[in-house]
Structures are given as structure tokens and as C-alpha cells.
Amino acid sequence: MHPLTTLLTLVLTALTSAAPQSPSLHRRQAAASELSSLAALTPTASPTALAHIPTTLFSIFAPASASSTPPSFLGSAAALIENGFAPSNLANVISGLSVGANSPVNVNLRQPAMQIYPKKEKDDAPYSLSEAEMRAQIHIPSGFTYGKVQPIIMVPGTGAIGGENFESNFITLFQNSNIADPVWINPPTFQLGDAQKESEVVAYAINYISGISGQKNVSVLGWSQGNSQIRWATKYWPSTRKIVSDHISISADYRGTVIFEGLAALLVESPISLIQQSPSSAFTSTLLSNGGDSAYVPTTSLYSAFFDEVVEPQQGTAASAYVLDAHKVGVLNAEVQSVCGIGSAAGTFNTHESMLYNSLSYALAVDALTHPGPADLSRVDLNKVCSVFVAPGLSLTDVVETEATIPIAAAAILVYPQRVIFPSEPTISPYAMASPAPVA
């Protein structure tokens, strides 16, 4: 049975208990129909070599990239499935999204060296989640060195959890290295709940991992929505700013994305975080207000102008991922096509998720993590880095599994049970209505 069919079965089972002919039932049946369509797809091709990945992605998304209409997120997921960008063990991947490296229930018994809950510093925002709830979402692998190698906390994107999001890219690249020692967040909501609450977990994780790692600084790496949560955390929990050495930002949507706004409107009943990622949402407006359009910690932002099928706009200084530096902490904005050139291997057609395995993403992450402040292009051999599409150390299987984050996210969005009517969103927390503490 196709793995998405398994998820569909769960949806249809839940539908049988809904009130007959209710508006909510009709909307959920529409979501189930979308998922059924994905489940019925059969791959007609499959990638056979790393060298073919850019041209294959271009062939999949070229029509959408040339259109003036934003692409359909569900259509993008379908196109990836049809072209074999899903691992042969996808059923096992989905069934394993709540255990092991993907578990949202982790037992972390080590206590931080100093009190971090309910507040580490007086200017920190209050938590609405319990310490136990937040600590359980932090996955610390058995080989973690507790500060002997610089810790890096990985924050997943929409419809994803940390293990699945990063296991085939940055976890593989950094684990057992002397560059960075990864831990990651596995939200039980798949990043589809209230982004304000998800951001609390990020703030707590920063202070917790530092606190159990000899109070050494940590770095953070986010993909997609995960970066907005990192920004929210460093904005409203100023204690985190003092202990974050670097923020590596991949395919961010700080200014929101019209693609998720369109998907939320299409679904009518939508997961909360899709609505919050609308460019006009209260969450996005609050994040960017009072200096929030600038970084609070040294930040290296990597993104693709040609062609991010999830975040639009994503071009030049108007890109949703573009970071300002009013707080003078140090920022590098690296649009891959501008840095490498569109005729190069690394600077050619890149998608939202391909930036996770792009060779420039890895090279600039390493440069940032091994020097003070953000990455510096002058320290990187761009001729060498840009001549390769996929980061050295990753395989074809890694690339396919990374691409599968989009179909998995689509399935998660369609089956996530806690939904609100578009464009409703949670009230902004009182702490965020005031100006944040200034950057020291």
C-alpha cells in the first residue's frame, strides 16, 4: 500500500465520526480528496545520478517558474512524487516519524547549570508551555559531546520534524565532525500549530543545550518557517542572543509567503501556521515590527531566487529570506544564483528543499561556524564550491530523501487535525505587543 494511502485511511476513518453534511465534514472531505489524489500517483521516472538532479528539478518546475501565478504547493508535491523524489522506504519513513530520531517524546534528564525556567533573565518573555513539554521535544543523539564540539540546534520547517527534515543533509554532514554537533527539535505538531508556541521551544532549547554543554555558546540552523521561529525567539527572549554564535538560515520566509497564504485559503479550514505565514498575518507583522526585520544574532541567509516553489517572493532584496542588519550583529544574504551565477552547477535551478543539500549552503555554513560572525564570501573558494551542485558527503539517496520532505509536508498539512477557518489566527501574545529589549 502506498504510504500516503495509509494516511488517507486515517483521515477517512476520522471522517466517519463527523456530523453528516456538516460544513466541517465537507471541508475535510475536500482535504481527503486532495490526499487521495496524491496517494494515487505512481512514479513515472526516478533520478539515477547526482549530476541529473538540477535538470530533473528544472523539468519538473519550469512551467511554474515561468508563470506569473504562484505555484500550487500540493501540485509541487505531486510533481516530486511522479518523478521519483521519494525514497523506496517512504512507508517506513512516515511510520517512523514518531520514534527514534523523530520522537517528540525525549527523555532529557540532565539539568542546566543555571536556572532557565520560568525565566533565565528578567527581560525574557514568559513561557506558556511547561518545561517538561518543551524539553521533551529536544532530541539529543547518543553521540552528543555536550560542548566538546560546538552544539548546533536544528529547527524544522512547516509539515516537518527535525529528524526527518535534516537527517539526510545537515545531520549527515555535521554529525561526528569537529565543525558542529547537532541536536534537533521534533515538534509533535509538525510545525503546523501556533508559531508563537513553537518559538517558545526554540528559545528554551537554546538556553537548555547551552546550559548542559558547559554554558558554551550554541548555533542554530533553520529551514523555512523554522527561521521565523528562531527570529521570534531571539527577539523576545534576549537571553538567547548572548549565547548564539551563528544562525544559519536556509530558505527562510521571514516576510511570509503567498504560496502558503493561497493554500490556507484553498483549504478554508487550515493548520494555524499556514495562515501565520501569510505576508499580511498578525504573526508576520509582529515578527517584523520594532526592528524584527533585522537579525538579533550573526546570520547567514541562503536562498534560491530560481526557483523556490514554497516561498514567494524570494528574489533580491525583496526576498522573504532577505535579512537586514539594523542591530549591527553581522549578516550575509546569499542568493545562490547571485553568488555562484546561474550558469554554474550550484547556482542553477534550486528549489526550497534543494538548498538543504546545495554545496554553497554547506560551504557557507561551515565558514560561519568556524569563524566569528556570519559567513564571508572572500574566505570561500567559490570556483570550487559553485562547480558542484550537491554538498560533498551526500549521496543520491540523501538527495531523494531530502526532496521527500515536500510530499511528507503535504500529507501532514492535509491530515493535521487542529484547524481554524482562514484567515483566523491566534491572538498575539501580550509580551509581543511591547518593544523587545534592545540589542546590547
Side-chain angles (χ1 to χ4, degrees):
M1 178 180 290
H2 194 287
L4 294 177
T5 305
T6 304
L7 287 175
L8 176 62
T9 301
L10 296 177
V11 175
L12 295 176
T13 300
L15 285 174
T16 60
S17 62
Q21 306 304 316
S22 70
S24 177
L25 175 60
H26 287 304
R27 292 178 184 125
R28 290 177 185 273
Q29 284 176 330
S33 177
E34 293 280 1
L35 188 55
S36 180
S37 297
L38 289 179
L41 294 173
T42 300
T44 57
S46 60
T48 58
L50 287 175
H52 300 159
I53 298 299
T55 53
T56 302
L57 291 176
F58 180 75
S59 69
I60 294 172
F61 294 111
S65 68
S67 172
S68 59
T69 303
S72 159
F73 179 72
L74 298 179
S76 297
L80 287 167
I81 293 171
E82 287 179 319
N83 284 272
F85 280 102
S88 58
N89 65 337
L90 184 56
N92 293 334
V93 170
I94 292 178
S95 65
L97 290 185
S98 61
V99 297
N102 296 305
S103 176
V105 184
N106 299 279
V107 179
N108 297 314
L109 298 178
R110 292 201 183 204
Q111 297 301 317
M114 63 183 298
Q115 179 176 310
I116 63 171
Y117 188 92
K119 285 189 176 187
K120 184 178 180 182
E121 295 183 355
K122 64 179 181 63
D123 288 331
D124 285 347
Y127 292 113
S128 67
L129 300 175
S130 71
E131 185 170 26
E133 286 178 285
M134 294 188 289
R135 191 182 295 187
Q137 295 182 41
I138 305 169
H139 184 85
I140 303 174
S142 59
F144 185 62
T145 64
Y146 295 94
K148 293 179 182 178
V149 177
Q150 171 185 199
I152 187 166
I153 302 164
M154 299 187 179
V155 186
T158 307
I161 50 181
E164 172 263 324
N165 197 149
F166 299 109
E167 196 162 24
S168 298
N169 43 81
F170 279 101
I171 292 176
T172 292
L173 291 168
F174 286 148
Q175 206 162 45
N176 302 316
S177 76
N178 60 0
I179 298 167
D181 197 359
V183 302
W184 50 93
I185 295 174
N186 288 334
T189 60
F190 279 60
Q191 297 285 53
L192 294 168
D194 184 354
Q196 297 176 93
K197 294 184 183 295
E198 315 286 10
S199 301
E200 293 183 28
V201 181
V202 176
Y204 179 82
I206 290 169
N207 280 320
Y208 179 70
I209 294 299
S210 174
I212 63 172
S213 300
Q215 295 184 278
K216 294 183 178 179
N217 276 21
V218 302
S219 289
V220 286
L221 185 151
W223 180 57
S224 194
Q225 180 198 177
N227 295 294
S228 296
Q229 294 170 5
I230 293 169
R231 175 77 60 77
W232 190 280
T234 54
K235 180 178 182 179
Y236 294 113
W237 280 265
S239 64
T240 62
R241 304 172 195 166
K242 302 173 184 178
I243 56 173
V244 173
S245 294
D246 281 288
H247 173 188
I248 309 301
S249 174
I250 311 292
S251 301
D253 67 341
Y254 300 113
R255 294 175 176 83
T257 169
V258 298
I259 295 170
F260 275 169
E261 180 180 47
L263 177 57
L266 174 69
L267 294 173
V268 183
E269 281 191 344
S270 168
I272 292 169
S273 75
L274 293 191
I275 299 171
Q276 289 175 315
Q277 290 174 82
S278 165
S280 60
S281 73
F283 177 84
T284 299
S285 299
T286 303
L287 174 66
L288 299 176
S289 69
N290 296 317
D293 54 357
S294 288
Y296 290 90
V297 296
T299 299
T300 301
S301 182
L302 292 130
Y303 56 99
S304 172
F306 182 63
F307 164 72
D308 191 316
E309 81 280 21
V310 176
V311 177
E312 283 293 330
Q314 198 71 303
Q315 294 78 33
T317 59
S320 194
Y322 193 85
V323 181
L324 301 181
D325 194 21
H327 306 307
K328 306 300 181 185
V329 296
V331 167
L332 174 68
N333 289 290
E335 180 189 280
V336 65
Q337 288 80 19
S338 296
V339 173
C340 284
I342 200 164
S344 68
T348 186
F349 195 91
N350 277 276
T351 60
H352 189 64
E353 65 283 2
S354 77
M355 291 303 295
L356 287 166
Y357 56 76
N358 181 278
S359 60
L360 182 68
S361 295
Y362 176 61
L364 292 184
V366 170
D367 184 77
L369 293 168
T370 53
H371 297 87
D376 185 335
L377 294 175
S378 68
R379 293 192 297 250
V380 176
D381 185 347
L382 292 177
N383 287 332
K384 179 180 179 181
V385 169
C386 295
S387 68
V388 180
F389 185 63
V390 176
L394 296 180
S395 67
L396 180 61
T397 298
D398 292 323
V399 168
V400 170
E401 290 182 351
T402 299
E403 288 293 332
T405 58
I406 298 300
I408 290 172
I413 288 168
L414 291 171
V415 302
Y416 187 69
Q418 297 173 11
R419 311 173 90 81
V420 296
I421 303 295
F422 176 84
S424 302
E425 59 179 304
T427 302
I428 295 297
S429 300
Y431 68 78
M433 303 303 290
S435 296
V439 176

